[in-house]
Amino acid sequence: MLKKMFLALFILAFIACAAEPRVVVDVEGSANLKPDPSQSLVARELVKIIEGAHYKKVKVNDSLSSKILDKYINQLDQGRSYLLASDIKSFEKYRLTFDDDLRAGDLTAFFHIFNVFQARYADRLKYSMSQVDKPFDFTKNETFTYNREKLPWLASIEASNELWQKRVKSDLLNLKLSGGDAAKNKETLKTRYKNLLSQTQKLNNEDAFQVIMNSFTETIDPHTNYFIPQRAQAFNEEMSRTFEGIGASLQLENEVIKIAAIVPGGPAFKAKTLQVNDKIIGVAQGKDGEFEDVRGWRLDNSVSKIKGPRGTVVRLKIIPAGQEISSQPKIVTLVRDKVVMEDQSAKKTIKTITEGGKSYKIGVIEVPAFYMNFKDYQAGDPNYKSTTRDVRRILDTLKREKVDGIVIDLRTNGGGSLMEAIELTGLFIKTGPVVQVRNPRSTEVSDDDDPSISWTGPLGVMVDRFSASASEIFAAAIQDYNRGIVMGTQTYGKGTVQSALDLSRYISTVDEFLNKIKTTDKTGKTTTATQGPRFGQINLTIAKFYRINGSSTQHKGVIPDIQFPMIFSADKYGESSEPSALPFDSISPARYTPVADLTPVKSQLIKLHENRMKESTEYKYLLEDIVEFRRRESENEVTLNEAKLKKEREVQEARNLARDNQRRALKGLPPLKKGEVKKADDYDFIQDESLKTMADFIRLNQAGQFTMVY
């Protein structure tokens, strides 16, 4: 009875709010998106959760409100190419009210701003289409500023028109230099703009809500993130490396869903009834369900129809690859199943390196993320998917191959499961602490308590600027224990811990009411969302982690033993570039015993590495490439003079060709001619030099210069 009374009061409250919104959200030229009651409820709940449970103990107040406004505007129009200065001025009245709005669950001001942006965005695309057929003079000495992030907002529609005329001119000039005729180039550009316009017209209030909540949560810290239901499901599938469906990657091309790839081992792969580039125009559920025409649908809406629980049937209406969209479709019936994304899992290669007149076999294990199927793990499935289980199996294979050393490649590995970082470390040490986790109340030491060791031989770890979080925990533990050598560049510097909270746990009281709330998509069909957690999910920063030596990886990351020049500057990439990031600090070290003293060995390895670099042409090229990358990164405009642009590209192409031929000469390959397409080159200089360092490490180990004591 009390629950029914609460629901009645809740409904009346939202009816009252809907009748008199604080801000009128409608904007001419936009889709006039509006918040729904569930989103208002989520916003209110997020304020409570963040104020009560976030590591920072932050207060949602006027100061934070001001930062949220700046963050929100920046997320909508980072390049300052759509909104006008007058729009920005009109948004100032919300600068100190967003905190109150979020606390009250009133999202109307946020949606008003989103609708203003959407109207400007659509207007600029329509204006661009109107300019395509106009004559352009490519002999004038004009430039187009494509990055206006640090420039003032556009002062007027006239100023915006001038910018977008130049953008159209730039797009046409690029197409012209690519070799197409004028008429075809214009049609290509019109189609591009139409597709962009079509996609913005399909945005719904969940898309707006995602941007709004990102602006709120990322103002607190860069790793506190809210995910709407569909994105929450995608995030959890990414973490588990599994999903339930047909086993195909899909993409949208000219308003039609196309098969981009087929996952090995999945239902589509086994059935052999689908091919890459097949087009999906209809979807039906079960053996007798009615087909829904999905042409013109958003990609995520189509995907939600095609995916589904294992064991269920889905039928697809297919236009085979290479056939016209008007061709007679065929019907494909598939039984959905669990799909394991093996191509995104840990995998191995074996490299043979010759150093000092001796050859060494080195197993390289590429670990793209610290993943774990937590659902299967909790259910007691003995075959649950995880990084540690995959790497342990690979190590067994490499031992049978009698490799001399192992390298764990964590480059571009952004992290994942904290538990997996601890367990993976446990494959290389006997027992002991791996990481310290500090929350506002206490500090806990997380140990590896499994005495078994999967690999006792020489170990190396490769990292780069985008190795983050769990990658840094693993690399730091290996370094602190002196279990191996770390090679690469300074890592990202993410030393915070997030917990994924399903908001249904907090909002279950009104679930019965909100379950009845329907939304209408652009097809006119009324549907109820079923994908992902009911009210979405927040990944909340609840703690910081520290190395067992007491140092935080926050901001500073892990400094490798063997360092390479960093391509990506710290002021633009990594935790140190984030204004809302938590600070660096240290705590007392944990009690642990290193397994070796590698200090003298590391000194020798550094000297050997530096000597090779002095003689290395590839190293010289790397330094030159870094200078060129930084130069290009600092540019924000391009010439619209055809002769100048053509000359610039010819000079760049000649420089690239000369560089390619210099590299080919070093390998004894014949030179390429101008315009000749070379085969894909999988040469990886950083990996190659790291493996040479590993060969030195193995040689020193075999010479008895250090011993691992477990």
Side-chain angles (χ1 to χ4, degrees):
M1 183 66 183
L2 286 173
K3 185 176 180 181
K4 289 183 178 179
M5 288 176 61
F6 176 79
L7 285 171
L9 291 170
F10 178 81
I11 295 168
L12 287 171
F14 269 106
I15 289 174
C17 289
E20 295 183 23
R22 191 176 78 81
V23 176
V24 177
V25 301
D26 290 0
V27 176
E28 185 179 354
S30 75
N32 288 327
L33 300 176
K34 296 178 175 62
D36 62 41
S38 65
Q39 292 168 346
S40 299
L41 193 61
V42 167
R44 291 165 57 188
E45 201 63 45
L46 284 179
V47 172
K48 296 177 187 175
I49 291 171
I50 285 172
E51 288 190 331
H54 193 279
Y55 182 82
K56 269 187 178 180
K57 291 298 180 185
V58 69
K59 189 72 176 174
V60 179
N61 54 21
D62 286 356
S63 175
L64 190 69
S65 174
S66 179
K67 294 176 182 177
I68 294 171
L69 176 63
D70 292 335
K71 182 80 171 179
Y72 186 34
I73 293 172
N74 187 61
Q75 286 203 350
L76 289 173
D77 191 6
Q78 185 174 3
R80 300 193 174 192
S81 298
Y82 299 94
L83 294 169
L84 302 179
S86 57
D87 298 324
I88 303 303
K89 184 178 180 180
S90 73
F91 300 154
E92 279 298 312
K93 57 180 172 286
Y94 307 128
R95 182 165 292 281
L96 302 181
T97 63
F98 275 171
D99 56 323
D100 301 317
D101 290 342
L102 289 166
R103 198 178 298 281
D106 187 337
L107 300 172
T108 53
F110 287 100
F111 271 81
H112 171 74
I113 292 174
F114 189 91
N115 289 339
V116 169
F117 172 74
Q118 190 182 30
R120 293 292 188 201
Y121 184 89
D123 179 69
R124 292 301 82 195
L125 289 173
K126 291 174 183 176
Y127 177 79
S128 297
M129 283 188 280
S130 74
Q131 300 300 300
V132 172
D133 288 323
K134 293 188 176 181
F136 287 101
D137 182 358
F138 294 113
T139 65
K140 292 176 67 176
N141 287 321
E142 293 182 312
T143 58
F144 166 55
T145 303
Y146 53 83
N147 181 4
R148 303 188 69 260
E149 186 175 355
K150 296 181 179 179
L151 296 178
W153 293 96
L154 294 163
S156 63
I157 284 290
E158 290 73 25
S160 183
N161 287 346
E162 181 181 352
L163 174 71
W164 283 84
Q165 282 173 353
K166 289 183 176 181
R167 173 169 174 170
V168 173
K169 185 176 181 179
S170 178
D171 287 343
L172 284 171
L173 180 54
N174 281 318
L175 289 170
K176 184 179 182 182
L177 292 179
S178 297
D181 64 76
K184 184 178 180 181
N185 290 344
K186 289 179 179 180
E187 285 307 309
T188 297
L189 195 53
K190 285 179 185 177
T191 300
R192 184 189 303 173
Y193 293 154
K194 285 176 183 176
N195 285 339
L196 290 171
L197 183 60
S198 174
Q199 291 310 303
T200 191
Q201 290 170 340
K202 291 174 183 172
L203 292 175
N204 57 37
N205 69 348
E206 283 284 84
D207 299 311
F209 188 59
Q210 180 68 74
V211 179
I212 292 164
M213 289 298 102
N214 277 348
S215 303
F216 171 33
T217 60
E218 290 177 18
T219 302
I220 310 298
D221 88 279
H223 307 293
T224 291
N225 307 114
Y226 170 77
F227 298 108
I228 60 174
Q230 285 183 331
R231 293 198 183 186
Q233 183 187 28
F235 173 85
N236 294 331
E237 287 174 353
E238 175 70 16
M239 284 291 292
S240 68
R241 288 302 191 266
T242 62
F243 65 93
E244 294 181 354
I246 66 169
S249 299
L250 309 177
Q251 67 183 49
L252 193 65
E253 185 177 279
N254 294 327
E255 303 290 290
V256 178
I257 302 297
K258 188 177 78 170
I259 305 288
I262 294 175
V263 180
F269 179 85
K270 293 176 181 176
K272 301 186 185 304
T273 49
L274 287 179
Q275 303 294 327
V276 172
N277 293 326
D278 282 353
K279 300 180 184 68
I280 302 174
I281 62 170
V283 182
Q285 308 302 322
K287 296 180 180 178
D288 304 310
E290 186 177 336
F291 273 100
E292 293 182 86
D293 190 325
V294 296
R295 281 174 288 194
W297 280 29
R298 286 164 50 110
L299 180 60
D300 54 355
N301 288 344
S302 298
V303 168
S304 68
K305 294 289 184 182
I306 296 168
K307 290 172 70 173
R310 63 190 306 181
T312 59
V313 173
V314 62
R315 289 179 295 130
L316 306 176
K317 194 175 287 186
I318 299 294
I319 302 295
Q323 295 188 18
E324 296 295 327
I325 196 69
S326 57
S327 302
Q328 180 67 28
K330 69 174 184 178
I331 307 300
V332 170
T333 301
L334 294 167
V335 178
R336 301 177 178 107
D337 201 352
K338 179 186 286 187
V339 179
V340 179
M341 295 179 280
E342 293 291 355
D343 62 327
Q344 297 176 34
S345 304
K347 52 182 176 287
K348 69 173 177 68
T349 55
I350 296 177
K351 303 279 187 176
T352 300
I353 300 295
T354 302
E355 278 293 302
K358 187 175 179 181
S359 294
Y360 302 93
K361 285 174 66 176
I362 302 174
V364 180
I365 305 176
E366 182 182 340
V367 180
F370 286 81
Y371 50 87
M372 179 188 187
N373 191 325
F374 196 67
K375 182 179 178 183
D376 285 357
Y377 170 77
Q378 284 188 312
D381 185 343
N383 298 314
Y384 70 92
K385 180 78 172 171
S386 82
T387 298
T388 304
R389 289 169 58 85
D390 288 347
V391 171
R392 183 186 288 114
R393 186 176 63 252
I394 291 171
L395 287 171
D396 289 341
T397 302
L398 291 173
K399 284 188 288 187
R400 288 194 295 271
E401 296 277 352
K402 299 187 183 303
V403 297
D404 299 297
I406 298 289
V407 170
I408 305 295
D409 190 345
L410 299 179
R411 289 177 297 172
T412 71
N413 181 324
S417 167
L418 176 65
M419 187 168 85
E420 282 302 303
I422 296 166
E423 294 202 354
L424 186 68
T425 304
L427 298 183
F428 305 99
I429 64 172
K430 189 172 183 180
T431 56
V434 174
V435 64
Q436 302 185 83
V437 180
R438 185 184 192 183
N439 61 45
R441 295 170 299 281
S442 62
T443 300
E444 296 181 3
V445 180
S446 297
D447 294 89
D448 163 49
D449 52 13
D450 183 352
S452 64
I453 305 175
S454 294
W455 175 254
T456 58
L459 175 67
V461 181
M462 292 183 65
V463 294
D464 66 9
R465 188 58 176 168
F466 300 108
S467 302
S469 193
S471 291
E472 295 172 293
I473 292 173
F474 175 81
I478 296 300
Q479 192 176 59
D480 290 342
Y481 272 104
N482 274 326
R483 175 61 188 87
I485 52 172
V486 179
M487 303 165 286
T489 64
Q490 182 182 11
T491 60
Y492 193 89
K494 179 186 177 293
T496 56
V497 183
Q498 283 71 45
S499 178
L501 306 180
D502 182 344
L503 291 181
S504 300
R505 292 166 48 194
Y506 302 87
I507 315 178
S508 58
T509 313
V510 292
D511 190 49
E512 180 183 342
F513 163 66
L514 290 172
N515 225 0
K516 299 174 183 177
I517 295 177
K518 310 262 184 194
T519 57
T520 302
D521 62 23
K522 291 294 182 181
T523 65
K525 298 183 183 298
T526 302
T527 59
T528 302
T530 57
Q531 301 291 327
R534 177 92 180 85
F535 297 102
Q537 169 179 309
I538 182 171
N539 288 6
L540 185 73
T541 297
I542 58 168
K544 288 177 72 175
F545 63 72
Y546 296 80
R547 300 171 67 143
I548 54 177
N549 69 7
S551 176
S552 171
T553 58
Q554 182 66 9
H555 274 281
K556 292 189 177 182
V558 176
I559 307 298
D561 304 307
I562 307 298
Q563 294 190 55
F564 290 85
M566 192 157 63
I567 298 174
F568 302 98
S569 58
D571 62 331
K572 290 187 177 180
Y573 303 94
E575 194 79 0
S576 55
S577 68
E578 297 284 355
S580 61
L582 274 67
F584 168 86
D585 62 346
S586 299
I587 60 174
S588 299
R591 292 184 178 180
Y592 70 100
T593 303
V595 300
D597 180 9
L598 295 182
T599 303
V601 172
K602 289 178 180 178
S603 296
Q604 292 183 66
L605 295 176
I606 291 170
K607 186 175 181 179
L608 290 166
H609 163 70
E610 290 177 345
N611 287 339
R612 275 194 298 270
M613 295 305 93
K614 290 176 184 177
E615 304 298 324
S616 172
T617 304
E618 284 291 348
Y619 184 71
K620 180 169 90 50
Y621 292 158
L622 174 62
L623 296 178
E624 291 174 357
D625 288 344
I626 291 173
V627 172
E628 178 65 11
F629 175 80
R630 298 276 172 86
R631 184 188 69 79
R632 288 182 171 274
E633 194 179 37
S634 66
E635 293 177 347
N636 57 16
E637 63 179 24
V638 62
T639 181
L640 297 178
N641 181 292
E642 181 179 359
K644 285 185 177 180
L645 186 58
K646 186 177 180 181
K647 181 65 176 177
E648 286 177 8
R649 292 187 176 179
E650 286 174 348
V651 169
Q652 185 62 45
E653 287 171 6
R655 185 183 295 123
N656 293 341
L657 180 62
R659 171 69 59 80
D660 287 339
N661 283 334
Q662 287 169 346
R663 283 179 164 146
R664 290 174 68 85
L666 291 173
K667 300 173 187 176
L669 298 173
L672 296 170
K673 297 178 182 178
K674 182 178 179 180
E676 185 178 354
V677 179
K678 67 173 181 176
K679 293 181 180 179
D681 186 0
D682 61 355
Y683 178 69
D684 183 340
F685 168 68
I686 302 295
Q687 184 186 85
D688 183 66
E689 171 55 26
S690 296
L691 294 179
K692 288 176 181 176
T693 297
M694 270 303 293
D696 292 333
F697 189 47
I698 295 166
R699 177 172 51 80
L700 293 173
N701 175 242
Q702 293 175 347
Q705 294 204 22
F706 67 92
T707 303
M708 299 286 178
V709 180
Y710 297 99

